[in-house]
Amino acid sequence: ADLDAAGLILDLRPLLQRFGFRLQADEPDGYLLLDAQSRRGDKLLAIPADLDVAMLFLRRDLLDNEDNRARFRARHGRELTPPSTWEEYRQLAEFFHRPKDGFYGAGEPRERHTAWMYWLPRYLSAAGGGTAFFDARMRPQLLTPAGIAATESFVATVPFSPPQVLEDGKDFNYTLPLFLRGNTFSTILTVATAKIANREGSAIRGRFVAAPMPGFAHQGKLLRHTAFIYGNNLVVPSSGSQPELAFLYAMWLTDPDNSLRSVTANGIADPYRHHHLRDEQVRALYTPQALDVLRQELRIVRPGGTGLPGDSEYMAALSEQLWQAAAGRITAREAMARTSREWDIITDRLGRAAQIAHWRALQPSAPGPVATRGP
């Protein structure tokens, strides 16, 4: 949204028409979540080259351990299984937390710059899905039961996290190696986690599992959502001297054959076309179980951020207040109140009428809540 609003990237529709290309989302080899990764309103701005959505990973061997199962059953009165709700996830983090042994229950990042990524799935689920950030007049919908509940859930795992988790720069580059070395019970990151954990020499190879993202119960139904975090989509700069060559290279790199080569290489591209999820080599690299969970989660993926001009400012303000709450400096309610005030300031500075128009344009494509199994 920010790149488009600043006029820094091209609308790709004229280039697609000129060279006779069409981006496809259908089987057998179309893009998995094309519109969410490529479009903004009626513009087509990017070509998907990755698919980074938040996924939950757990230590399967610890869940299957009979002693753990008996102790958990005695303590909580239920079976030791992957969590359905965020509260059950917190219980698991607490149950497995053994800091004296250098083992931690929760391996989610909590540093100040990426905090929103690990809060957003909680908020979307608590709010019932859709695009819940603002009302029709662009008034923030954060100082609400949903916003407060999501923030409380975000904060609740900090006591069961590694000791440096709140420090600047300690993002997934800090938490992921701990999970891979067998020092945390859980982590939340993209499906690349499975690819790395499944490598030869991994301390947890064959001992981890991808699990459906937890949710919040609403009137007897469990609502679950996840969202894009990170990801690589290709854009063409408006100031480039060779936009046609840039576009053609992007189309070549992401075509069905070359995209499969990039996903199976030792790189950062994760499956983003339908046939990637079926390919035997990809499934061997990522494990069939993790890819099957990813496929199931695709229907509950929501965009990362607001989709508005100024998105980076909105998310930075949110992340700062989430970090303050995680550090114990303010309450969850105060974090949402402060963020709401800052968001109103950003909206007024950018022009409330213009932002309202942008927000309304986003709404027809906003998906509604997805109900899964009962709590």
Side-chain angles (χ1 to χ4, degrees):
D2 288 340
L3 294 174
D4 180 36
L8 295 175
I9 57 177
L10 295 179
D11 185 344
L12 301 179
R13 290 176 302 172
L15 289 168
L16 286 162
Q17 294 171 1
R18 175 178 173 183
F19 291 103
F21 286 111
R22 185 169 69 89
L23 301 184
Q24 295 179 298
D26 52 342
E27 293 273 12
D29 55 17
Y31 298 96
L32 289 168
L33 294 173
L34 176 61
D35 286 351
Q37 292 190 274
S38 65
R39 295 186 181 276
R40 181 168 180 263
D42 62 352
K43 295 181 180 180
L44 199 153
L45 298 169
I47 299 169
D50 195 10
L51 186 78
D52 281 359
V53 299
M55 292 181 64
L56 173 64
F57 293 89
L58 307 171
R59 283 283 298 277
R60 182 180 62 191
D61 57 328
L62 299 181
L63 290 171
D64 291 342
N65 180 275
E66 288 300 329
D67 289 340
N68 290 338
R69 294 170 69 87
R71 288 191 302 109
F72 188 85
R73 190 183 304 114
R75 182 181 303 181
H76 293 288
R78 62 182 180 87
E79 294 301 316
L80 180 57
T81 61
S84 295
T85 66
W86 287 107
E87 172 55 22
E88 290 180 0
Y89 171 70
R90 186 205 62 78
Q91 288 178 353
L92 289 174
E94 181 181 15
F95 179 78
F96 285 110
H97 190 58
R98 303 192 309 271
K100 291 182 179 180
D101 299 329
F103 190 84
Y104 310 99
E108 286 185 75
R110 284 294 182 269
E111 60 93 37
R112 71 171 77 212
H113 299 297
T114 58
W116 70 266
M117 297 181 183
Y118 303 93
W119 172 90
L120 185 54
R122 292 168 160 91
Y123 175 68
L124 291 171
S125 299
T131 358
F133 286 131
F134 302 96
D135 66 12
R137 300 299 300 169
M138 279 291 295
R139 298 299 180 188
Q141 299 297 291
L142 302 178
L143 190 56
T144 59
I148 294 169
T151 306
E152 289 175 343
S153 173
F154 175 86
V155 170
T157 60
V158 173
F160 317 116
S161 298
Q164 296 176 286
V165 75
L166 292 169
E167 295 182 12
D168 286 350
K170 300 292 187 181
D171 57 10
F172 72 88
N173 290 306
Y174 170 65
T175 55
L176 179 59
L178 289 172
F179 183 69
L180 298 174
R181 292 197 296 264
N183 294 120
T184 65
F185 166 70
S186 66
T187 194
I188 290 179
L189 200 57
T190 70
V191 74
T193 303
K195 183 180 184 180
I196 300 170
N198 192 42
R199 288 174 178 167
E200 291 282 354
S202 165
I204 60 170
R205 188 180 192 195
R207 300 164 60 192
F208 70 93
V209 64
M213 195 66 85
F216 282 94
H218 294 261
Q219 299 179 343
K221 293 183 178 180
L222 183 70
L223 297 186
R224 303 188 308 109
H225 292 282
T226 188
F228 283 98
I229 57 175
Y230 304 108
N232 301 283
N233 301 316
L234 306 181
V235 298
V236 177
S238 58
S239 60
S241 62
Q242 299 287 345
E244 295 87 359
L245 287 179
F247 168 76
L248 291 172
Y249 173 74
M251 294 301 298
W252 173 85
L253 183 65
T254 63
D255 79 4
D257 294 332
N258 288 325
S259 65
L260 191 57
R261 294 188 182 100
S262 70
V263 168
T264 53
N266 188 24
I268 60 173
D270 291 318
Y272 60 95
R273 283 180 173 270
H274 288 284
H275 69 297
H276 296 170
L277 300 182
R278 299 190 303 269
D279 182 81
E280 291 185 7
Q281 186 178 358
V282 176
R283 292 180 70 79
L285 285 170
Y286 286 83
T287 75
Q289 190 272 335
L291 291 187
D292 289 345
V293 170
L294 174 61
R295 182 190 293 276
Q296 294 167 9
E297 297 287 272
L298 292 177
R299 66 193 181 96
I300 63 168
V301 175
R302 301 297 179 254
T306 65
L308 296 168
D311 180 69
S312 59
E313 293 184 69
Y314 288 117
M315 292 296 102
L318 171 62
S319 286
E320 174 64 24
Q321 299 308 321
L322 291 171
W323 181 82
Q324 294 286 348
R329 294 185 171 94
I330 58 176
T331 65
R333 175 178 289 275
E334 182 60 23
M336 294 296 93
R338 290 186 181 187
T339 305
S340 296
R341 290 194 292 269
E342 292 187 38
W343 279 18
D344 270 331
I345 291 171
I346 294 169
T347 297
D348 288 334
R349 179 168 48 77
L350 295 176
R352 185 167 295 273
Q355 292 295 87
I356 289 172
H358 287 299
W359 184 246
R360 287 177 177 171
L362 291 173
Q363 299 318 297
S365 61
V370 175
T372 58
R373 59 194 183 281

